Amino acid sequence: MPDRPTAPSRRAILAAPLALVACRGEAAALAPRADPAALKSGVPFPVGTCAMTGQLADPRWVHLATTHFSQLTPEWEMKMEYILGNDGSYRFDAPDRLAGFARDHGLRLFATTLVWYAQDSAWFKGLDRARFAREYDRYIATVAGRYRGQAVGWDVVNEAVAEDGDGLRTCLWSEALGQDGYMIRAFEQAKMADPEAVLFINDYNLENNPRKGATFLRTVERLLRAGAPIGGIGTQSHLDIEIPAGRTTAFMRDAAAFGLPIHVSELDASLNGERRLDVRSRTQKLAQQQARVTELAQAFSDLPAAQRFAFTVWGVRDTDSWLRRGARDDGQDSPLLFDAAGQTNPMFTALEAGFRS
Ligand code: 9MR
């Protein structure tokens, strides 16, 4: 049997959630389910979520995370902001706990992130050129090396493309080591530190903004040509539910052309768009969210088996989401699979439908 199903038609993409509703009845399809079958069961690729140590003592979170998911990404405690102190010291207590939790519960560990424009360091800024490069290498070698044999993959470079998709971001790392240079170097160092891990370049808005998606893929091509050992493509998929049908499928097709494994690395789908005057009902927005999530899951499921690295949802319950913290939190947004009480949202059913179609 071929492992590559034929690509779904645009009509099938549009019809999928509707068909589901027709089959099961609208109320049944959308009603919260307290104890649904495990999301990961019967899905032929790892289904991930993210975690922070603060959640490990919450039995409801642990139940949901270990029942429905088979892979875990530390949400922030394996990043430089946690590991590297202002004096250049390293700390690994929290990331080690998360790695231990994954191991103890039979979950694959995926690690993020080694180099990110958004996380630089006052300590690095004080170093002369030669020391900067040495410490950059040492950071990657130490951190990636520590989880060698545990982490199946790393986001080596995160969010390198400019917000509007016009070129690359300038950051502490690019200024010291060159625009492509800092990325190539990071991949080379990570490869030496953990030769078995799949090394990802990861970014967001790649489907939401086709210009950014194209710049990202051109960057991947250029870095591969320069010899960077990129092993996979990460598309975060913080979905804009307003994008037209077909856009996510188109990006997935373009990304798949490299033949590399693909990771949907941080799916969430906020109900809050940019519209200034939005009179749509919550039901309408949820339907739009479901359609886009089903499309993404279907586009991923349609990849050749060897390219389906994992599909990760960025949090468990709505209230676990970064979108429900601080100034962003409107108390209403529902960007994830489970509500605050741990019952399924319609998005759960939409994801199931995409995985199984
Ligand atoms: O959800 C993450 C949040 O808890 C952290 O405070 C923040 C900074 O580390 O990162 C958030 O995750 C981001 C991810 O690492 C990269 N893409 C965007 C995510 C949401 O901001």
Side-chain angles (χ1 to χ4, degrees):
M1 236 180 63
D3 63 5
R4 190 182 189 343
T6 46
S9 68
R10 188 179 157 88
R11 199 163 136 207
I13 289 163
L14 289 167
L18 298 176
L20 192 81
V21 166
C23 289
R24 300 192 186 164
E26 185 164 5
L30 300 182
R33 287 182 276 158
D35 208 8
L39 179 65
K40 66 186 175 190
S41 67
V43 178
F45 44 80
V47 182
T49 193
C50 64
M52 39 193 169
T53 52
Q55 291 161 328
L56 304 184
D58 172 353
R60 189 68 188 141
W61 182 90
V62 171
H63 172 74
L64 290 167
T66 58
T67 301
H68 294 285
F69 300 97
S70 50
Q71 179 176 291
L72 207 69
T73 306
E75 185 170 347
W76 64 280
E77 290 152 301
M78 221 172 249
K79 296 172 180 165
M80 193 177 274
E81 68 177 299
Y82 187 87
I83 292 175
L84 183 65
N86 289 336
D87 58 355
S89 62
Y90 294 5
R91 61 175 175 166
F92 289 106
D93 54 340
D96 284 356
R97 277 187 64 204
L98 290 164
F101 177 88
R103 194 177 47 238
D104 294 348
H105 290 84
L107 304 171
R108 282 201 335 178
L109 176 71
F110 183 80
T112 194
T113 185
L114 291 171
V115 181
W116 186 10
Y117 84 92
Q119 294 196 356
D120 56 19
S121 139
W123 182 73
F124 261 98
K125 285 178 189 154
L127 305 178
D128 66 41
R129 222 174 170 69
R131 177 103 193 269
F132 188 107
R134 275 204 311 277
E135 293 296 341
Y136 184 82
D137 294 351
R138 185 167 79 93
Y139 181 83
I140 296 169
T142 307
V143 177
R146 188 174 185 92
Y147 299 103
R148 179 176 177 163
Q150 287 187 76
V152 289
W154 267 102
D155 286 328
V156 175
V157 174
N158 198 31
E159 303 178 355
V161 179
E163 185 67 27
D164 60 2
D166 190 10
L168 299 176
R169 298 179 196 268
T170 300
C171 60
L172 176 67
W173 316 115
S174 68
E175 278 175 341
L177 301 167
Q179 191 72 269
D180 284 355
Y182 87 94
M183 297 192 272
I184 295 166
R185 189 171 186 127
F187 278 100
E188 287 170 350
Q189 291 298 319
K191 191 74 189 168
M192 284 193 281
D194 188 350
E196 299 301 319
V198 185
L199 305 180
F200 282 81
I201 181 163
N202 189 50
D203 216 318
Y204 67 97
N205 277 351
L206 302 176
E207 66 296 275
N208 297 334
N209 177 354
R211 181 178 162 82
K212 188 169 180 186
T215 302
F216 175 80
L217 294 178
R218 273 201 306 276
T219 304
V220 173
E221 189 176 15
R222 200 174 59 248
L223 296 180
L224 284 170
R225 282 225 178 95
I230 296 176
I233 290 176
T235 175
Q236 293 182 11
S237 304
H238 298 286
L239 280 187
D240 175 355
I241 65 171
E242 313 289 344
I243 57 174
R247 196 173 271 187
T248 301
T249 310
F251 176 74
M252 199 65 83
R253 185 198 55 222
D254 293 348
F258 288 96
L260 294 172
I262 294 184
H263 186 195
V264 169
S265 55
E266 306 179 13
L267 167 67
D268 50 34
S270 174
L271 299 176
N272 299 330
E274 302 288 314
R275 292 191 189 186
R276 278 171 56 218
L277 239 181
D278 193 348
V279 293
R280 289 168 307 158
S281 67
R282 186 173 175 89
T283 310
Q284 286 171 313
K285 290 189 200 173
L286 284 170
Q288 212 170 341
Q289 181 199 54
Q290 289 172 78
R292 297 287 69 76
V293 166
T294 299
E295 180 186 335
L296 174 68
Q298 198 166 39
F300 184 81
S301 300
D302 284 344
L303 291 170
Q307 286 188 264
R308 296 185 304 222
F309 178 79
F311 190 106
T312 295
V313 186
W314 206 234
V316 176
R317 297 159 302 196
D318 292 333
T319 40
D320 294 316
S321 172
W322 66 288
L323 295 162
R324 291 290 303 272
R325 290 181 213 148
R328 264 181 230 276
D329 186 16
D330 66 352
Q332 307 279 323
D333 202 4
S334 184
L336 293 175
L337 304 180
F338 297 93
D339 67 16
Q343 300 209 328
T344 60
N345 286 325
M347 183 168 150
F348 183 96
T349 306
L351 195 58
E352 267 183 330
F355 284 166
R356 301 190 200 300
S357 56

